[in-house]
Amino acid sequence: MKPAWRDGNRIELLENGEEFFPAVFAAIDDAKDKVFLETFIWFEDKVGKELHRAILGAARRGVSVEVLLDGYGSPDLSDDFVNQLTSAGVKFRYYDPRPPLLGMRTNVFRRMHRKIVVIDGELAFVGGINYSAEHMSDYGPEAKQDYAVRVQGPVVQDIYAFVLQNLPGNEEMRRWWGRRRHQAQDNNAPGEAQALFVWRDNDDHRDDIERYYLKMLANAKQEVIIANAYFFPGYRLLHAMRNAARRGVCVKLIVQGEPDMPIVKVGARLLYNYLVKGGVEVYEYLRRPLHGKVAVMDDHWATVGSSNLDPLSLSLNLEANLIIHDRTFNQTLHDNLMQLIEKDCQQVDETLMPKRTWWNLTKSVVAFHFLRHFPALVGWLPAHTPRLSLVEPPVQPEMETQDRVETDNPGAKF
């Protein structure tokens, strides 16, 4: 499967859990045939329980439901929580659920970091929001700032085809979807947006998302705004940002100023001198932790997805972004990001940049060389073939444990 631009889509920006969760839960409640959901994190809190309610209700009324969770991001769901779903017929899988070694999790690398929902092959959600209460503003100072999109139109067919391609034992479903996809080509387009679904895997699409960022920066004429939670990208992307700024493009970068992990701020600040001296405007978002992975260029290009601009997302994790050509959507996201800058950010200047000492210079040089050679270094990491683990329904309603049956997926692009 190759990414392709699709015309005639309707795309709506969803900001934070307040907009995202009600839209997803309502779509699941209205589903008639098929629900597929994959996410990095699903916590057993008030948000996770509401998702549980929606999925359980869909399964009980006869909707086919499949769930894929990352084994590293979602290791703590209780047996009872999962067994209720599998007993109702939900196909519930974990991506690479490796057992702890000496109390430590070993599946740190090659995570399934995508966040995708597809409803009846007609409606999809793509973005960076996980299913946890920390994406709600009432969570407190640690509530995350994040984005997703609600999508209707021909690009949903590509998203669903991608989903089916990465699941084992779905030949019948693939045939059903092939017929449905052929029939859907005659439907009227629900909108005017042009969209491209892109992903990163460890096979044929290792650098697709990064390449589209590089192409965007090379083509920019007036303005670029990138908001990214975990910013420690490769040398090529840093160089492209500086090149765009030096030829007169107003390049703005929004990073975490109140990070959920302190090392995030330390890493980003190693890059401040290089970027700011090259003309890039860098802003630290201070209201709460930034979790978004979005960007806009000029008046027509935008992207929303799961991919951070750091070594994990760009070289190891499974990621998915939607790239959008639409002036209306671009303006909506642009206005949102500018509001963040104007109300909740501080611009990085000389007072915030690391001092030009030999120690800081040494750290910066080491960081740059690490970033430049990271893809090659990844090849030295212990390699393994991640597996999908299907959670079998309990044999007896009262059983307190669950058995997981390992299922190889030779067709998946892991």
Side-chain angles (χ1 to χ4, degrees):
M1 178 178 173
K2 295 182 178 180
W5 284 99
R6 305 297 180 190
D7 297 321
N9 302 282
R10 180 180 179 183
I11 303 173
E12 176 186 358
L13 180 68
L14 301 174
E15 183 181 8
N16 297 324
E18 282 79 5
E19 294 181 359
F20 177 71
F21 296 138
V24 171
F25 299 157
I28 296 173
D29 288 339
D30 292 338
K32 297 178 176 59
D33 298 314
K34 177 72 177 176
V35 171
F36 178 84
L37 181 146
E38 63 180 23
T39 187
F40 181 61
I41 288 175
W42 183 353
F43 287 161
E44 203 167 332
D45 56 20
K46 67 176 184 178
V47 169
K49 290 177 181 177
E50 183 64 12
L51 176 60
H52 185 277
R53 176 209 59 78
I55 287 182
L56 186 61
R60 285 176 173 172
R61 67 175 183 269
V63 176
S64 174
V65 182
E66 300 204 31
V67 171
L68 176 61
L69 300 185
D70 183 72
Y72 179 88
S74 304
D76 298 323
L77 294 180
S78 68
D79 290 351
D80 182 64
F81 189 88
V82 175
N83 286 342
Q84 288 184 46
L85 299 176
T86 57
S87 295
V90 175
K91 289 185 178 179
F92 196 100
R93 296 183 177 91
Y94 284 99
Y95 176 83
D96 204 22
R98 306 179 77 192
L101 180 63
L102 300 177
M104 299 180 64
R105 288 184 286 176
T106 58
N107 50 356
V108 176
F109 301 112
R110 297 179 177 88
R111 306 172 187 175
M112 199 293 296
H113 197 245
R114 301 186 299 255
K115 292 91 176 175
I116 298 174
V117 181
V118 184
I119 309 291
D120 296 337
E122 299 175 350
L123 173 66
F125 297 85
V126 178
I129 301 177
N130 291 299
Y131 297 93
S132 68
E134 61 191 6
H135 286 273
M136 302 291 291
S137 60
D138 62 6
Y139 188 77
E142 297 301 311
K144 299 181 186 296
Q145 175 69 24
D146 209 343
Y147 302 91
V149 287
R150 183 181 188 272
V151 189
Q152 292 174 286
V155 76
V156 175
Q157 301 169 18
D158 293 338
I159 297 170
Y160 200 18
F162 169 81
V163 163
L164 294 178
Q165 177 178 285
N166 288 289
L167 287 177
N170 267 275
E171 290 305 320
E172 181 178 350
M173 181 56 65
R174 291 189 185 96
R175 289 193 293 270
W176 170 83
W177 175 242
R179 294 192 300 270
R180 188 181 186 89
R181 185 176 183 180
H182 179 74
Q183 295 167 358
Q185 293 176 354
D186 297 328
N187 294 342
N188 293 327
E192 298 180 354
Q194 190 180 46
L196 175 72
F197 179 70
V198 295
W199 61 94
R200 198 220 152 263
D201 59 29
N202 292 307
D203 194 353
D204 298 327
H205 302 275
R206 294 173 181 265
D207 63 351
D208 285 18
I209 294 175
E210 183 180 16
R211 284 193 297 104
Y212 279 102
Y213 266 95
L214 293 172
K215 183 177 180 180
M216 174 271 290
L217 287 162
N219 292 335
K221 301 291 192 297
Q222 298 174 330
E223 183 182 43
V224 171
I225 306 177
I226 298 173
N228 207 268
Y230 305 106
F231 185 81
F232 204 63
Y235 177 81
R236 292 189 305 168
L237 202 146
L238 291 169
H239 189 61
M241 291 174 67
R242 277 190 28 143
N243 280 349
R246 285 177 167 177
R247 68 173 188 270
V249 178
C250 181
V251 180
K252 298 180 173 73
L253 170 67
I254 306 173
V255 295
Q256 296 200 59
E258 295 293 333
D260 49 0
M261 294 183 291
I263 194 173
V264 173
K265 196 171 183 177
V266 174
R269 284 191 166 181
L270 286 174
L271 310 176
Y272 284 179
N273 276 304
Y274 180 81
L275 292 171
V276 175
K277 297 292 185 183
V280 177
E281 297 178 18
V282 179
Y283 297 88
E284 291 185 341
Y285 178 69
L286 300 175
R287 185 175 180 181
R288 54 189 185 178
L290 175 69
H291 197 257
K293 308 96 169 51
V294 301
V296 294
M297 181 267 282
D298 294 343
D299 62 354
H300 64 281
W301 189 100
T303 187
V304 178
S306 69
S307 182
N308 293 300
L309 298 177
D310 70 349
L312 280 177
S313 282
L314 295 177
S315 299
L316 289 171
N317 290 347
L318 308 184
E319 307 283 0
N321 274 42
L322 195 69
I323 299 176
I324 303 153
H325 285 179
D326 182 68
R327 294 180 187 276
T328 300
F329 182 88
N330 177 285
Q331 189 67 53
T332 299
L333 181 54
H334 177 274
D335 291 348
N336 185 291
L337 296 178
M338 285 303 300
Q339 188 174 39
L340 294 190
I341 290 175
E342 293 166 3
K343 291 186 176 182
D344 301 306
C345 290
Q346 66 177 354
Q347 185 170 0
V348 174
D349 56 18
E350 295 287 343
T351 63
L352 293 176
M353 289 192 291
K355 294 181 180 180
R356 303 287 287 182
T357 65
W358 281 107
W359 172 237
N360 285 332
L361 179 61
T362 301
K363 288 192 295 183
S364 296
V365 169
V366 171
F368 272 116
H369 281 285
F370 172 78
L371 293 171
R372 191 168 191 173
H373 299 290
F374 184 81
L377 295 173
V378 168
W380 298 353
L381 294 173
H384 71 283
T385 302
R387 296 172 180 241
L388 298 185
S389 175
L390 179 67
V391 181
E392 295 286 2
V395 177
Q396 297 176 351
E398 68 273 15
M399 76 178 294
E400 297 179 354
T401 59
Q402 64 190 32
D403 295 323
R404 293 178 180 174
V405 177
E406 295 290 344
T407 306
D408 285 332
N409 183 9
K413 303 300 183 182
F414 295 148

